[in-house]
Amino acid sequence: MMTVRAVNTCYLLRSGSPPPLSSFCCRFNHFSSLDLSRGYGLQLRLRFPALRGELVNFGHGGVRSCCFHSLLESAMAELASYGRRRRVPAVAVKLTSSGELLDDKPGSQTLVEGLLLEFKKDSDRLLLAVAQKPDGKKNWMVYDQNGVTSSIRPQQITYIVPGVEKFDQTEISSFIQKAEDNLDPSLLEFAWVELLENNKSVTAEELAEMIFGSAEPLECYCAHLLLTRDNLYFTVRENKGSRFVYVPRTTEQVDEFMRKNLAKEAADRELNEFLQLLKSAKAMPSHAKPPKSSWMIEEKFQSKIQSIEAYAIDEFTSEDQKKTAGEILKAMGMTKTSSSAVNLLIAIGYFPVHVNLDLLKLNIRTDHSEEMNLAAENMLSECPDPDHFERQDLTHLKVYAIDVDEADELDDALSATKLQDGRIRVWIHVADATRYVQPGSFLDREAMRRATSVFLPTATYPMFPEKLAMQGMSLKQGEICNAVTVSVVLTPDGWLFLLLTILLCWCTSIAEYSVDNSIIKPTYMLTYESASELLNLNLEEEVELRILSEAAALRLRWRRQQGAVDTQNIETRIKVVNPDDPEPSINLYVENQADHAMRLVTEMMVLCGEVIATFGSQNNIPLPYRGQPQSNIDVSAFAHLPEGPVRTAAIIKILRAAEIDFRKPIRHGILGLPGYVQFTSPIRRYLDLLAHYQVKAFLRGDSPPFSAGQLEGAAASVNMQIRLIRKLSSTSLRYWIIEYLRRQPKQRRYRALILRFIKDRVAALLLVDVGFQASAWVSTGSGIGDEVRVKVEEARPREDYISLKEAL
């Protein structure tokens, strides 16, 4: 394969392997002379009279050829002649490995004042400088091209310009400019051809003599620059101290490097085009910035924007991706940090201002695949109800579903009545998610990977596809819904009918219970606020709600007698409207868990969990039995603290983590129960769904689909994912609370309870108005449980930073 390359006005033709020099020819169109620009500010016309007698006509448009040896010899003779006319006496200089300076003659001399040298300032910069004076035993003070005086080590010196003595440091810039003007990289090819054929190496000085016909300081420095900047024809090896010797690459290597260079040039053009798009997007107003999807249209830009995103969240798929992002950030004048990448992506509109980085870092699934959505639709339209003929019809009951106002997935609802003997019967209805999902199915496996629905201030990401969760599984007001209903009878005063279990000898507050498949028709969908209002109004027509409240009070009293620890606290919910806007609306809700409606729902969910644990124990069903090993917490030790958040905070600090047994119930000391199973949220929590699989199989007369060991394996994977999601939820809530506080008027004051002292007068505080914990210095005289007033000095949500100051 022939390769043709232009060198000035000549064409060199060469094959894939190095041919003899005699096969190289220069082609001219009726010319016997060649113009070469040497960078001296002159245009030289080199004439080669020796060629005239050697012209051969090939009969194609008067094109002539000449022997390359003749051309090269004539050119070099002319160049040498011109160089001699300009030459001034010079002393060639060499540098030893110890930093000493040697001339070409025998003997040596140390580095002296006035020498012109090149040194490595840092990993990216080489500077030209003049040696001034020694600095210690080996170092030298130098004055560089930027006018900066600094001390350098001998190892930093990369080249000493030969033939220079007492160089005027004010002429450095002029010298550099002349060298740059004199550079012609195409001259390297002439030298490469000859050196390759003769298998010779070359130094900068020898190359200067070869291509310029002179080894004067300027020519030597030009040759040095040509060699050090060349990435095609020559490679370097270091010997003779700090002097570099260059060897020509083989023809095959040059071809390969040419291909790489062409590819690099194309990549550089592509990068520059991308950089222009970034700069253009940065300059646009917020409303006009290109949407995120526009960066994904072209693959060449998609890979680059994804590399910046990977840099932002520190999740690289390869080192090349990291390198690409670093190059882009550097080209944009930004530091190579994740925060810079985030700021750039926000500036171009790819990320919203309030992007949730943890959501990206933790790789939480936020949507469902087409395959999963299709499977959900098929289940809704084709899946028969396997328990249709076994369901109890409870549509005559008044059913209350109580949840937060923005809840989309309604898992549970409540009913109650008083029996003729004065006892209370309550029904806890739980959405029957297993009506549509079977163990091991595609939908089940996907739900297991997700582990739970994700509730963030900005969005909700359901465990199941939205259509299935909302239309099929969720309880809906006024519609017939499938459920699993737990029915419980309590005594009128909260004391027990004794229900002795031969195996466990439990004594519980449950006089009777049953677990059945059912159909219900929810009557009310209430928020906690509206349920509390109805309870306060004490309406006669809502007597069932009052009975539920009474039952909850009886249960709470009984659990406290069993050693339950009250951990009521203040919780904050935030709903962000239009979170992708630069200044979205933030709705903040502070909820007191001691509220009547919240107490009611909590007690009924705990009651349901106790019944399912009892049911599983009596029927030897493997279930995720939850427990808390601390059964004898001395609550009196905290009696000096005010009830509520202050006491709760102190108790929580000593609590141990919950445990799970998959074979039998274990005591839950905090709840004051002999056993407990989470059962009331099968649409939102996968472990609840597992409990439904086990219970529903027993109700059908089938064996449980999972053994205790299989449940344990599934729970290990699920709990790992749940921990990630809890972290995500916590950091997201904290971010938006700090953002909320940042927006408040500077003069606003906040009520704060002192929970404890961290060090000296620095106290952990609970901002009652926003349900947020932070720390601040408080004045002498304030104690734990006291209320102080604080103001927000500074709030930076992206950095998770808030500064409070006591407002005296």
Side-chain angles (χ1 to χ4, degrees):
M1 177 179 178
M2 299 297 290
T3 303
V4 181
R5 181 173 304 114
V7 182
N8 287 348
T9 56
C10 295
Y11 294 93
L12 294 184
L13 289 78
R14 60 182 176 81
S15 63
S17 60
L21 199 58
S22 59
S23 66
F24 286 83
C25 297
C26 289
R27 304 178 61 205
F28 302 91
N29 292 314
H30 302 293
F31 287 106
S32 61
S33 64
L34 175 64
D35 288 337
L36 293 177
S37 172
R38 294 200 41 222
Y40 292 96
L42 298 174
Q43 192 75 10
L44 301 181
R45 180 169 294 275
L46 306 180
R47 299 186 180 275
F48 310 103
L51 301 180
R52 292 173 185 160
E54 301 176 17
L55 298 178
V56 179
N57 194 331
F58 287 92
H60 293 285
V63 178
R64 301 177 181 181
S65 69
C66 61
C67 175
F68 183 78
H69 270 308
S70 301
L71 172 63
L72 184 61
E73 289 169 2
S74 299
M76 298 311 294
E78 185 72 16
L79 288 170
S81 175
Y82 182 80
R84 283 193 295 273
R85 294 196 297 270
R86 309 181 61 256
R87 183 181 299 185
V88 295
V91 178
V93 181
K94 304 174 186 176
L95 185 69
T96 69
S97 59
S98 63
E100 293 183 328
L101 199 61
L102 302 176
D103 59 27
D104 284 334
K105 300 178 181 180
S108 64
Q109 62 183 45
T110 57
L111 194 62
V112 296
E113 180 184 353
L115 290 181
L116 186 62
L117 57 86
E118 181 188 77
F119 73 97
K120 196 169 188 177
K121 179 68 174 177
D122 51 43
S123 60
D124 297 324
R125 289 186 298 167
L126 292 171
L127 299 180
L128 202 60
V130 176
Q132 290 186 318
K133 61 180 180 180
D135 181 29
K137 291 184 178 181
K138 292 186 177 181
N139 294 357
W140 267 77
M141 299 298 296
V142 297
Y143 180 91
D144 66 35
Q145 64 193 58
N146 297 323
V148 176
T149 300
S150 58
S151 177
I152 64 170
R153 302 184 307 276
Q155 294 86 348
Q156 291 178 256
I157 300 174
T158 55
Y159 186 67
I160 295 181
V161 180
V164 175
E165 293 181 2
K166 298 189 181 302
F167 191 88
D168 185 353
Q169 61 192 28
T170 63
E171 296 294 324
I172 297 178
S173 296
S174 175
F175 185 87
I176 293 173
Q177 187 60 53
K178 289 177 183 178
E180 293 291 343
D181 293 342
N182 207 31
L183 294 183
D184 184 356
S186 62
L187 294 176
L188 280 177
E189 185 164 11
F190 286 114
W192 170 74
V193 170
E194 182 173 341
L195 292 167
L196 179 63
E197 182 174 336
N198 296 318
N199 192 27
K200 288 185 177 180
S201 60
V202 69
T203 64
E205 293 78 12
E206 291 167 345
L207 181 67
E209 190 74 52
M210 188 175 184
I211 63 175
F212 295 122
S214 168
E216 296 301 320
L218 182 61
E219 283 78 3
C220 289
Y221 185 59
C222 289
H224 166 73
L225 291 179
L226 286 172
L227 287 168
T228 54
R229 295 178 184 179
D230 170 60
N231 62 357
L232 183 59
Y233 296 110
F234 293 90
T235 185
V236 64
R237 69 171 182 261
E238 186 176 357
N239 66 356
K240 300 180 183 178
S242 295
R243 293 184 66 198
F244 292 99
V245 177
Y246 298 83
V247 293
R249 289 192 172 99
T250 65
T251 305
E252 291 77 10
Q253 289 174 328
V254 170
D255 283 339
E256 178 62 24
F257 272 88
M258 285 187 68
R259 283 191 288 271
K260 289 181 178 179
N261 287 344
L262 290 173
K264 185 179 184 303
E265 289 172 4
D268 288 343
R269 288 193 300 272
E270 188 178 287
L271 176 60
N272 288 331
E273 186 181 353
F274 181 70
L275 293 174
Q276 289 305 314
L277 290 176
L278 291 177
K279 292 173 183 177
S280 175
K282 279 186 68 175
M284 293 178 181
S286 298
H287 67 276
K289 293 185 186 295
K292 183 176 182 178
S293 58
S294 67
W295 297 94
M296 300 296 179
I297 296 174
E298 293 190 58
E299 184 177 349
K300 60 182 181 180
F301 296 148
Q302 179 182 350
S303 62
K304 288 178 174 55
I305 201 74
Q306 287 175 339
S307 72
I308 304 174
E309 182 175 354
Y311 211 104
I313 63 175
D314 200 21
E315 290 288 339
F316 302 105
T317 58
S318 67
E319 282 300 314
D320 284 344
Q321 191 180 51
K322 182 177 182 179
K323 181 180 177 182
T324 298
E327 290 174 349
I328 293 170
L329 290 172
K330 182 179 178 181
M332 293 295 291
M334 307 177 78
T335 57
K336 296 180 183 180
T337 62
S338 58
S339 60
S340 292
V342 172
N343 292 335
L344 176 59
L345 293 174
I346 290 174
I348 66 172
Y350 183 85
F351 276 171
V353 173
H354 299 287
V355 59
N356 191 328
L357 295 176
D358 287 327
L359 187 63
L360 300 175
K361 289 179 181 179
L362 298 176
N363 197 26
I364 302 297
R365 291 179 171 90
T366 58
D367 55 11
H368 296 87
S369 65
E370 291 185 13
E371 183 182 6
M372 197 170 180
N373 286 322
L374 181 60
E377 290 182 7
N378 290 337
M379 294 304 294
L380 285 171
S381 60
E382 301 173 5
C383 180
D385 179 9
D387 304 305
H388 175 72
F389 297 106
E390 305 299 327
R391 294 190 183 277
Q392 284 191 8
D393 187 348
L394 300 179
T395 55
H396 61 284
L397 295 176
K398 183 180 284 189
V399 177
Y400 299 90
I402 306 173
D403 211 327
V404 295
D405 56 357
E406 67 267 18
D408 297 317
E409 308 163 341
L410 293 175
D411 295 273
D412 50 73
L414 304 170
S415 301
T417 190
K418 274 201 173 181
L419 304 177
Q420 290 184 350
D421 61 6
R423 294 183 298 170
I424 296 175
R425 178 186 291 276
V426 298
W427 291 267
I428 301 105
H429 312 287
V430 183
D432 190 357
T434 63
R435 156 76 171 79
Y436 297 100
V437 183
Q438 300 303 314
S441 66
F442 174 64
L443 288 171
D444 172 71
R445 294 194 305 273
E446 285 297 309
M448 179 178 172
R449 290 189 186 97
R450 294 168 187 269
T452 179
S453 294
V454 182
F455 300 96
L456 303 178
T458 52
T460 296
Y461 304 111
M463 185 171 71
F464 288 107
E466 186 172 342
K467 192 171 184 180
L468 178 63
M470 308 310 168
Q471 296 184 19
M473 298 176 175
S474 182
L475 303 179
K476 295 173 286 295
Q477 184 175 355
E479 297 184 22
I480 302 297
C481 302
N482 296 318
V484 177
T485 296
V486 172
S487 172
V488 187
V489 175
L490 304 172
T491 59
D493 61 356
W495 292 102
L496 320 174
F497 282 108
L498 294 181
L499 183 63
L500 297 177
T501 302
I502 297 176
L503 293 176
L504 297 175
C505 298
W506 282 358
C507 180
T508 79
S509 66
I510 302 169
E512 302 173 19
Y513 77 87
S514 64
V515 181
D516 301 285
N517 293 305
S518 65
I519 56 172
I520 61 172
K521 189 176 182 180
T523 312
Y524 296 116
M525 298 294 185
L526 302 176
T527 65
Y528 288 112
E529 293 80 2
S530 58
S532 292
E533 289 178 8
L534 285 176
L535 287 170
N536 292 332
L537 290 172
N538 198 22
L539 300 176
E540 188 62 35
E541 57 268 29
E542 302 302 336
V543 62
E544 293 87 353
L545 191 61
R546 289 208 317 273
I547 295 173
L548 282 169
S549 181
E550 181 183 343
L554 293 172
R555 281 287 299 173
L556 176 59
R557 185 171 70 181
W558 178 82
R559 287 197 304 109
R560 284 174 173 169
Q561 292 169 347
Q562 308 307 308
V565 179
D566 197 349
T567 56
Q568 63 180 4
N569 210 340
I570 292 176
E571 286 193 350
T572 303
R573 281 190 303 111
I574 282 186
K575 186 70 174 178
V576 180
V577 182
N578 299 322
D580 288 345
D581 290 350
E583 290 285 324
S585 175
I586 302 176
N587 299 316
L588 183 142
Y589 309 91
V590 179
E591 298 171 341
N592 189 339
Q593 292 178 330
D595 173 80
H596 289 317
M598 295 196 78
R599 281 284 198 192
L600 186 159
V601 173
T602 298
E603 286 302 325
M604 293 302 102
M605 300 304 105
V606 171
L607 174 60
C608 179
E610 183 187 0
V611 170
I612 295 299
T614 304
F615 180 78
S617 175
Q618 289 179 342
N619 297 289
N620 296 316
I621 304 173
L623 290 169
Y625 298 98
R626 290 183 174 271
Q628 212 288 336
Q630 287 168 279
S631 57
N632 295 309
I633 295 177
D634 184 9
V635 180
S636 63
F638 304 95
H640 65 286
L641 299 175
E643 277 191 298
V646 176
R647 184 180 296 181
T648 296
I651 293 174
I652 288 176
K653 283 186 68 65
I654 69 168
L655 296 183
R656 289 160 55 187
E659 300 174 354
I660 302 181
D661 192 300
F662 300 93
R663 292 167 177 79
K664 63 183 185 302
I666 53 177
R667 176 166 175 78
H668 200 301
I670 299 302
L671 296 180
L673 300 177
Y676 177 69
V677 174
Q678 286 187 332
F679 192 77
T680 57
S681 296
I683 307 176
R684 309 180 188 187
R685 297 190 301 236
Y686 187 76
L687 287 184
D688 291 41
L689 184 69
L690 283 180
H692 275 246
Y693 286 147
Q694 302 290 87
V695 169
K696 290 291 296 291
F698 180 85
L699 293 178
R700 295 191 195 105
D702 298 334
S703 298
F706 299 104
S707 66
Q710 290 171 323
L711 286 178
E712 188 171 2
S717 172
V718 167
N719 284 331
M720 186 179 299
Q721 183 71 2
I722 287 175
R723 283 192 289 271
L724 291 179
I725 293 172
R726 283 177 180 167
K727 177 183 177 182
L728 170 66
S729 300
S730 175
T731 57
S732 299
L733 180 62
R734 182 175 174 85
Y735 175 95
W736 285 105
I737 293 176
I738 296 176
E739 173 64 13
Y740 173 85
L741 293 171
R742 184 187 69 82
R743 297 188 191 182
Q744 301 307 301
K746 285 291 185 182
Q747 65 272 20
R748 180 174 175 181
R749 302 295 183 263
Y750 301 87
R751 296 166 49 225
L753 287 174
I754 299 177
L755 301 178
R756 66 183 185 280
F757 284 97
I758 301 171
K759 183 180 180 181
D760 298 330
R761 301 305 300 172
V762 178
L765 306 175
L766 173 65
L767 275 63
V768 179
D769 302 324
V770 291
F772 180 71
Q773 290 192 24
S775 61
W777 184 93
V778 295
S779 56
T780 303
S782 301
I784 295 176
D786 289 345
E787 184 176 296
V788 295
R789 298 275 174 167
V790 296
K791 61 181 180 179
V792 176
E793 290 279 282
E794 190 175 4
R796 300 194 298 269
R798 180 66 64 201
E799 301 170 31
D800 189 30
Y801 176 81
I802 186 167
S803 173
L804 302 179
K805 183 177 181 180
E806 185 178 11
L808 299 175

